[in-house]
Amino acid sequence: FNDVGAGIDAVNKMLIERGLSPIPGVERYREIFDFPIEDYYRGLGFDDERVLDDFWRAGKPILCTAADDAHGILPDDERCDAFGGWVWIAARSLDYKDVIKALENGDFYASAGPVIKSLMIEDDTVCIEFSDAEVANIITSGRRTAFVRAKAGESINEARFPLKESDGFFRVTVTDKKGKKAYTQFYQI
């Protein structure tokens, strides 16, 4: 089964819905297709984070997940796309029932590298701790954003973001020095 045509059709539908130019055919697809797959989607004009936010703003809450698109290419091959994204779950145990329950409840975060160690709200302030990172930013339903950035040559491991009553919901993204990101779920205020 050759899935190239089906892949182009699916991507073109999403491109058109977002007012972006569709892929005109297989020849152009083969010119622009790239690994890691996120580079291909970014090259087309997709912004993964904006899509997440738009769903929530439209009243259609979705969970933020990460996965890779492994095709059995070995890690020493430059085309390897394994280990590109995963979810960290907060399950009572690693038993099947507990893992599935955590996934269904959204008790996880998505990552391509950074580790989120804790996230709490204290005195109307989001407090988040994480592994070495370059920047942490908060995004709210009202499109308000704020960020904490490391000084040149340094890392940060925590951030605090005051909340406003009008924020509605928020999520936090943590980006490390390699540009790898971790995404919290959305939290309703």
Side-chain angles (χ1 to χ4, degrees):
F1 173 72
N2 182 347
D3 64 353
V4 171
I8 293 171
D9 289 345
V11 167
N12 279 345
K13 182 176 183 212
M14 294 185 293
L15 289 167
I16 291 166
E17 286 174 356
R18 288 165 180 79
L20 301 170
S21 300
I23 301 170
V26 174
E27 188 174 312
R28 178 67 180 137
Y29 168 80
R30 289 194 172 122
E31 290 173 4
I32 61 175
F33 189 79
D34 197 9
F35 284 103
I37 200 73
E38 68 188 66
D39 291 347
Y40 164 65
Y41 286 118
R42 278 196 198 108
L44 291 170
F46 288 113
D47 178 346
D48 295 342
E49 293 183 48
R50 195 184 104 212
V51 170
L52 289 170
D53 300 338
D54 287 348
F55 267 95
W56 270 76
R57 287 186 184 112
K60 300 174 183 176
I62 59 173
L63 295 173
C64 182
T65 62
D68 59 30
D69 188 22
H71 291 274
I73 300 170
L74 298 174
D76 59 345
D77 188 314
E78 68 181 32
R79 297 171 299 146
C80 178
D81 57 355
F83 313 111
W86 53 87
V87 296
W88 290 89
I89 62 168
R92 180 173 297 196
S93 76
L94 294 179
D95 290 338
Y96 178 82
K97 284 183 183 179
D98 289 338
V99 169
I100 295 301
K101 184 177 180 180
L103 291 170
E104 290 174 342
N105 291 337
D107 295 334
F108 62 90
Y109 69 91
S111 185
V115 175
I116 296 175
K117 298 176 180 179
S118 71
L119 184 139
M120 299 178 291
I121 298 177
E122 295 177 347
D123 300 323
D124 296 325
T125 300
V126 175
C127 306
I128 185 167
E129 296 179 351
F130 40 82
S131 58
D132 288 351
E134 184 172 0
V135 65
N137 64 295
I138 188 169
I139 299 93
T140 70
S141 64
R143 301 188 191 278
R144 184 178 71 83
T145 63
F147 66 91
V148 175
R149 182 177 300 278
K151 293 178 183 176
E154 296 181 13
S155 295
I156 57 172
N157 297 100
E158 64 182 10
R160 298 174 63 82
F161 301 105
L163 292 171
K164 295 181 178 180
E165 195 173 309
S166 61
D167 284 339
F169 66 76
F170 74 89
R171 68 174 178 80
V172 178
T173 302
V174 176
T175 308
D176 68 16
K177 291 188 184 294
K178 295 178 184 175
K180 301 295 184 181
K181 297 182 179 186
Y183 306 91
T184 70
Q185 295 303 333
F186 290 84
Y187 296 95
Q188 199 77 40
I189 298 173

